[in-house]
Amino acid sequence: MHFSPSLIALLSVVPFSLTAPTVRTDEAEAAPYPLPLPDGLPSLNPEQLQQIEKQAHGTLPGLPLPTNISAVGATNLQLIAFNQFIEVAFYTELLYNVTNTVKGYEFPNEVEKEFALRSLETILAQEKVHTLTANEALRHFGRPTIKPCVYSFPVTTLQDAIVLAATFTSHLIGTLQDITERFAANNDNAMTGLIAATIANKGAQSGWFRVFLDKYPSEVPTLTASDVNFGFTYAQSFVVPGSCPNINEIKLKTFSPLDIVTRPEPRTHKIKISWTHVHDDKKEELLWLAYVNQLNVPNVVPLQIVSCDGRKSVAVAIFPYEEFLLNGLTIAAVVNRQGPFANAVSVAQSAVYGPGLIVVE
Ligand SMILES: *[C@@H]1O[C@H](CO)[C@@H](O)[C@H](O)[C@H]1NC(C)=O
Ligand SMILES: *[C@@H]1O[C@H](CO)[C@@H](O)[C@H](O)[C@H]1NC(C)=O
């Protein structure tokens, strides 16, 4: 085992204090969540950590971290921990649903089920390692660690769960690209390798989800890059409001949500989108829809407002699939200027509603 003795000491003497609500009454039976999990997460003793590493088929990174980190770099690590807890919750639930053959989670045969269970167990343990890696790095740098929330996932079938996993994994890969750039731009170069290694792990997961969904494993030549603020906003869509003990430590922007109403298809067509107003407002300002796909300059299309009743707006916009080969993940955001936008980060700076995630092919 290659974990450092100081880490073990910290893990055993500084347990998280969990203040999150502990009951999700409606789903308490189906979901063995929230934390702490039976294996101890998030507060582990050395034996529990060893057990998780064994299930993950590998250890926490053993290379020494730099001595200091930028404020932006600390926020990056907090966002990673925030996301990783969501994944731990999701795969814990999914594994439970498959293991217990919850309605909607049946497999056609035992061979497929056995392979899926082994794969999910490995993914879950690796996500636990990612969570610990981010929070232990924060502790090392003397920055606030992130505590888990209570989560809820909008899925009740195996198929929908894997579609969701494929989507949030693609978006996390996009967010980790932005995190890498922010580390590099803020003198935290020493952290970039850790993120590259994590992206590769997520890419392998994504390949399995895609094969499961009868898609070719590798999505696009270069995966869509996102923005940390989009990553933070999207992650919160899985959080039970008010259940996060210290989300306020994460100094990122949260946008108002954007709903993609039409299921997009691999052809150029109009899609319907909608959003809810924060303030009652009968009139929309001039808005556009920006699409971020792969490593291309974002496309901006005009929005036609179909209805606006003061609370909710519905609009249609062209999804220019054919012109730009919008395969894989596309991140849509309603923006308050026409652009041009250099990349996802510049779209986020002008975003009003978003991100809406579209996955084609
Ligand atoms: C860490 O500290 C060193 C020495 O003071 C400094 O040169 C470097 O820029 C700092 N790194 C960050 C990321 O702030
Ligand atoms: C597990 O099943 C329950 C009951 O159908 C459902 O509410 C929950 O969202 C499922 N979780 C996952 C991750 O599939």
Side-chain angles (χ1 to χ4, degrees), residues 18 34 48 63 102 109 112-113 120 124 141 150 159 171 175 195 214 261 272 296:
L18 281 171
Q48 289 170 325
L63 292 173
V102 167
N109 63 64
E112 273 182 52
K113 180 173 177 176
L120 286 172
L124 172 59
F141 293 121
V150 182
Q159 177 82 10
H171 195 263
T175 305
I195 308 307
D214 208 20
V261 182
K272 195 185 265 187
N296 291 318

Side-chain angles (χ1 to χ4, degrees), residues 233 237 254-259 274-276 278 352-356:
T233 302
S237 67
T254 302
F255 303 104
S256 299
L258 173 65
D259 190 26
S274 80
W275 59 86
T276 305
V278 188
V352 192
Y353 304 100

Side-chain angles (χ1 to χ4, degrees), residues 99-342:
T99 305
N100 295 287
T101 327
V102 167
K103 193 168 169 305
Y105 291 79
E106 299 90 357
F107 270 81
N109 63 64
E110 280 306 307
V111 178
E112 273 182 52
K113 180 173 177 176
E114 192 272 335
F115 178 75
L117 282 176
R118 266 194 291 140
S119 305
L120 286 172
E121 271 161 18
T122 307
I123 290 175
L124 172 59
Q126 291 174 347
E127 298 311 346
K128 289 177 183 175
V129 170
H130 292 161
T131 307
L132 293 166
T133 302
N135 262 341
E136 285 314 310
L138 285 164
R139 212 190 302 280
H140 163 87
F141 293 121
R143 306 281 180 153
T145 57
I146 294 305
K147 293 175 181 161
C149 318
V150 182
Y151 308 100
S152 171
F153 302 100
V155 290
T156 49
T157 65
L158 178 61
Q159 177 82 10
D160 287 352
I162 300 294
V163 169
L164 181 62
T167 306
F168 70 60
T169 300
S170 279
H171 195 263
L172 187 52
I173 288 172
T175 305
L176 289 170
Q177 292 183 52
D178 187 30
I179 283 177
T180 312
E181 293 198 13
R182 286 171 196 255
F183 273 139
N186 287 277
N187 243 341
D188 298 321
N189 313 46
M191 302 300 292
T192 56
L194 174 65
I195 308 307
T198 310
I199 290 174
N201 170 278
K202 306 272 179 206
Q205 293 181 10
S206 159
W208 178 51
F209 300 144
R210 290 179 55 87
V211 169
F212 190 97
L213 299 171
D214 208 20
K215 296 176 173 186
Y216 39 84
S218 53
E219 196 174 292
V220 286
T222 48
L223 269 77
T224 303
S226 191
D227 172 273
V228 289
N229 301 286
F230 284 151
F232 186 47
T233 302
Y234 178 55
Q236 287 175 68
S237 67
F238 305 116
V239 162
V240 173
S243 71
C244 295
N246 69 346
I247 191 174
N248 59 313
E249 295 287 358
I250 306 174
K251 305 292 181 231
L252 291 171
K253 226 195 259 176
T254 302
F255 303 104
S256 299
L258 173 65
D259 190 26
I260 309 287
V261 182
T262 315
R263 194 194 158 105
E265 293 165 23
R267 60 183 178 88
T268 294
H269 63 301
K270 279 191 175 169
I271 60 166
K272 195 185 265 187
I273 62 174
S274 80
W275 59 86
T276 305
H277 295 240
V278 188
H279 309 290
D280 249 33
D281 196 355
K282 289 262 187 307
K283 225 175 81 238
E284 278 297 353
E285 46 178 333
L286 208 44
L287 297 170
W288 289 263
L289 189 64
Y291 293 112
V292 181
N293 180 262
Q294 303 177 53
L295 298 190
N296 291 318
V297 173
N299 299 118
V300 183
V301 298
L303 267 185
Q304 268 173 274
I305 306 287
V306 178
S307 67
C308 171
D309 68 4
R311 280 288 298 143
K312 191 176 168 183
S313 285
V314 178
V316 293
I318 286 282
F319 178 62
Y321 172 84
E322 269 139 41
E323 200 181 341
F324 300 104
L325 217 50
L326 297 179
N327 284 314
L329 175 68
T330 297
I331 301 160
V334 173
V335 286
N336 59 15
R337 66 183 185 91
Q338 193 174 4
F341 298 106

